Amino acid sequence: MPKQILIKNAKIVNENNTMEGDVLIEDKFIANVDTSISAKSSETTIIDAEGKYLIPGLIDDQVHFREPGLTHKATIASESKAAIAGGITSFIEMPNTNPQTVTVEALEDKFEIASKSSIANYSFMLGGTNDNLDELLKVDPKSVAGIKLFLGSSTGNMLVDDPKTLKEIFSKVKLVISVHCEDEETVKKNLESCLAKYGEDIPISMHPKIRSEEACYKSSSKAIELAKETGARLHVFHLSTAKEMELFGNKLPLEKKKITSEVCIHHLWFSEEDYDSKGTLIKWNPAVKSSKDREALWKALINDKIDVIATDHAPHTWEEKQNSYTKAPSGGPLVQHALSALMEMHHRGKISVEKIVEKMCHNPAILFEIEKRGFIRKGYYADLVLVDPVSPYTVNKQNILYKCGWSPFEGTTFKSRVTHTFVNGHIAYQNLKFSDERAAMRLTFNR
Ligand code: DOR
C-alpha cells in the first residue's frame, strides 16, 4: 500500500471555486478530492485542516537564488526553504548568476546543484546574450522553463541590445521568451541628469524618475512590436506602470495568448511614498512607482490583462543595501512573505483567494506548460498548501529565513500564514518545522 495522507475539513480553492472537503494524497499524487473521504487504512496520516484554505502550491516564475557564484547573498538551499515556508512549492530561477547561465552546460550545472539542495521543485531559465543564439537553439525545450532576456541592464550585466541578434532570437526561439524591459538609453540619460544635479548623493526618491515610466514603456512596447512581427511567444516580466497596461489585452484565454504579462509583489504593495521610510531596501529594477501606477496594476490584474503574479525574489546582503543610491544594488527578498502579503490584500477587499490561486498557481503552470502541477486535480502532483486565514504574525529578524536575514516587510503584521506545505505528497513544512527529507523534483513540461 503506498503512503497515504488525508487532509480533512479544508476549504479547497481551485479553478475559480471554493469547496469544503477532503483531499487524499497517495504517494506523490492527489488520489481523490471530494466532500468527504474516509481513510482506507489505519496507516493513513490524517491532517484536520479545521477549515483552513487548501490551495495548490504556488509556482513562482521569477526568482534569483544566486547560485552559483553569489552565495554570500543566498543559496538554492536557503531560499528554497524560505519559499516552502511561504507556500511556494515550485520556482523558476534566473540566469544572472556567476557564471551566467548562458550555456546548456551552465544550465545543467545549476540543475545539479538544485537536485542536491533544493527543497522546492525547480527549473531555470537559459539567459540570452548578444552572442549565444546557438545555445538558445540547442537546448531541449522539454528540459528548461524558458529563455530570459534582459532588455534593460540590471544586476549581472546581461544586457541584450543588438537589434539584429534580438530579431534572430525572437524569430528562431520557440520557447517562451521572458523579458526584463527598461530602455537603456532613457535610463542612462535620466541618471546623467540626476548625477549632474545631485552628484553622488542622488535621493532614492529619484529612482522611479531615473528608471522611469518612459523607460519601461519604450522597452516593453518595442519587445511587443518585435514579438508581433516575428510570432515569438513573449512573456513580459514585472510590469510597473499604468501606461504599459495599454499594451495588453484580456480577450483571449491564457492558453491562446502569444503575449503574456506579469506583475510582482513589490509593485502591488509598495509605492513611491514608501521610499522615505524604506530607502534603498525597496530599490528594485524596474522601480516601484506612484500609487496611481499601483492602482492601475491592480485593476489590470483583476480584469486579466495581467496573467501572472511572481516575486522577482532578489536578495542582496544588508551591507550591500546600505550603500548610497548609485551603489546599492536593486532587488529584495520576497518568497517567504508573498502569499501572506496577497492574503492581506484579500482581507482589504482587493483580491479574492480564487484570483490569487489563478495568478500564482494555475496560470504559471498553463503559461510554461508545466506537467501535472498548479491545480488540485486527481493524478496531479500533491503540491499543496494550507493557509490559516487568521493567525497573525509580525515579520522580524527572528522569523526571517532568507540567508540575507532582512525583509522589506520587517515590522509588518500579516493576518494570514502558511501552516503546512506539501511537496510531491511529502509534508515539507508543518507549523514552523521543516522535514529532514527532501522530496523536490525537477519540473517537467508538456511540450
Ligand atoms: O531589482 C532587480 N534585482 N531587478 C532585476 O532585474 C534583477 C534583480 C537582481 O538579480 O538583483
Side-chain angles (χ1 to χ4, degrees):
M1 185 95 158
K3 195 185 82 185
Q4 289 191 334
I5 301 172
L6 180 58
I7 306 170
K8 293 205 62 80
N9 309 315
K11 270 203 197 90
I12 303 166
V13 186
N14 190 49
E15 295 174 81
N16 202 24
N17 183 42
T18 300
M19 150 191 147
E20 307 222 339
D22 304 345
V23 169
L24 180 68
I25 299 170
E26 228 170 59
D27 192 18
K28 292 186 179 61
F29 299 102
I30 296 169
N32 200 5
V33 184
D34 213 332
T35 44
S36 179
I37 302 171
S38 316
K40 285 189 214 139
S41 123
S42 56
E43 312 264 284
T44 305
T45 304
I46 297 179
I47 294 176
D48 188 352
E50 299 170 318
K52 288 178 216 157
Y53 288 113
L54 183 70
I55 66 173
L58 275 54
I59 301 171
D60 191 347
D61 78 4
Q62 191 188 174
V63 304
H64 303 263
F65 284 178
R66 307 301 192 202
E67 226 179 324
L70 302 165
T71 52
H72 65 290
K73 297 178 196 272
T75 64
I76 290 177
S78 64
E79 308 311 281
S80 67
K81 210 168 160 184
I84 288 295
I88 293 168
T89 52
S90 300
F91 64 84
I92 297 173
E93 209 263 351
M94 296 299 112
N96 56 339
T97 45
N98 187 10
Q100 296 167 342
T101 322
V102 295
T103 62
V104 174
E105 197 187 341
L107 188 67
E108 285 309 323
D109 286 348
K110 265 194 180 180
F111 275 113
E112 184 64 21
I113 299 170
S115 74
K116 296 201 176 101
S117 64
S118 182
I119 68 160
N121 304 314
Y122 49 89
S123 192
F124 298 93
M125 284 196 191
L126 181 60
T129 67
N130 281 330
D131 51 24
N132 76 339
L133 183 65
D134 51 333
E135 294 290 328
L136 304 184
L137 296 176
K138 189 163 88 184
V139 71
D140 174 5
K142 273 184 166 299
S143 72
V144 64
I147 304 296
K148 163 83 183 273
L149 301 180
F150 283 87
L151 303 183
S153 61
S154 192
T155 309
N157 295 323
M158 290 192 70
L159 181 67
V160 190
D161 59 355
D162 176 42
K164 201 170 142 257
T165 309
L166 273 176
K167 190 156 181 182
E168 270 202 295
I169 296 176
F170 273 58
S171 308
K172 293 186 178 158
V173 167
K174 296 290 164 248
L175 279 158
V176 179
I177 301 174
S178 299
V179 286
H180 176 128
C181 289
E182 286 182 291
D183 182 65
E184 196 61 14
E185 288 310 309
T186 311
V187 172
K188 245 194 207 152
K189 187 187 78 196
N190 293 340
L191 180 61
E192 271 158 23
S193 68
C194 273
L195 281 169
K197 185 165 175 197
Y198 300 103
E200 280 295 317
D201 292 325
I202 300 175
I204 176 70
S205 57
M206 292 310 289
H207 191 49
K209 310 281 185 297
I210 295 169
R211 291 196 171 248
S212 62
E213 176 194 80
E214 188 198 352
C216 293
Y217 186 81
K218 243 190 183 172
S219 175
S220 44
S221 55
K222 213 159 121 190
I224 288 171
E225 212 174 285
L226 191 55
K228 284 185 177 158
E229 186 191 326
T230 54
R233 174 66 192 86
L234 181 72
H235 181 51
V236 186
F237 269 168
H238 44 42
L239 289 152
S240 64
T241 67
K243 191 158 171 58
E244 288 169 292
M245 297 306 104
E246 293 166 11
L247 300 168
F248 299 93
N250 58 359
K251 298 273 180 292
L252 292 174
L254 178 57
E255 291 83 345
K256 295 239 161 75
K257 287 187 182 179
K258 291 277 282 182
I259 296 167
T260 50
S261 55
E262 171 179 302
V263 68
C264 289
I265 297 293
H266 43 294
H267 296 120
L268 291 172
W269 185 275
F270 297 106
S271 81
E272 227 163 29
E273 281 127 52
D274 297 308
Y275 284 114
D276 265 357
S277 60
K278 298 277 179 188
T280 52
L281 296 186
I282 62 161
K283 183 186 182 203
W284 269 283
N285 300 339
V288 165
K289 300 198 172 59
S290 72
S291 49
K292 255 174 75 191
D293 288 303
R294 182 176 57 185
E295 259 333 285
L297 297 177
W298 272 108
K299 193 168 157 215
L301 179 71
I302 302 303
N303 75 18
D304 296 335
K305 276 192 175 195
I306 293 184
D307 303 298
V308 165
I309 308 175
T311 66
D312 192 9
H313 174 87
H316 297 284
T317 66
W318 176 259
E319 291 71 27
E320 287 165 337
K321 290 296 266 184
Q322 298 316 299
N323 279 303
S324 63
Y325 172 74
T326 49
K327 298 203 178 67
S330 294
L334 287 163
V335 285
Q336 191 184 345
H337 305 110
L339 182 55
S340 284
L342 286 174
M343 286 299 294
E344 206 60 26
M345 298 314 264
H346 163 66
H347 295 306
R348 294 183 200 168
K350 282 281 218 209
I351 186 166
S352 66
V353 181
E354 290 82 0
K355 204 70 173 172
I356 297 174
V357 166
E358 181 189 321
K359 302 293 179 186
M360 286 214 78
C361 311
H362 305 334
N363 284 2
I366 296 169
L367 205 154
F368 290 96
E369 300 169 283
I370 297 169
E371 208 162 22
K372 290 191 186 155
R373 302 191 192 273
F375 294 85
I376 303 182
R377 287 179 182 160
K378 244 193 223 183
Y380 272 51
Y381 287 103
D383 290 346
L384 298 164
V385 179
L386 275 172
V387 182
D388 191 338
V390 190
S391 176
Y393 72 102
T394 303
V395 179
N396 60 40
K397 294 257 187 265
Q398 284 68 51
N399 56 30
I400 288 170
L401 294 164
Y402 311 126
K403 181 160 186 192
C404 66
W406 67 272
S407 158
F409 289 122
E410 260 166 84
T412 304
T413 300
F414 291 123
K415 211 170 178 182
S416 307
R417 73 166 83 203
V418 169
T419 61
H420 297 66
T421 306
F422 303 81
V423 177
N424 300 311
H426 177 72
I427 309 175
Y429 176 76
Q430 183 171 19
N431 297 320
L432 305 176
K433 289 200 182 70
F434 292 90
S435 156
D436 292 331
E437 262 173 71
R438 283 188 315 105
M441 292 170 69
R442 178 171 175 159
L443 295 178
T444 52
F445 303 91
N446 286 315
R447 296 175 182 144

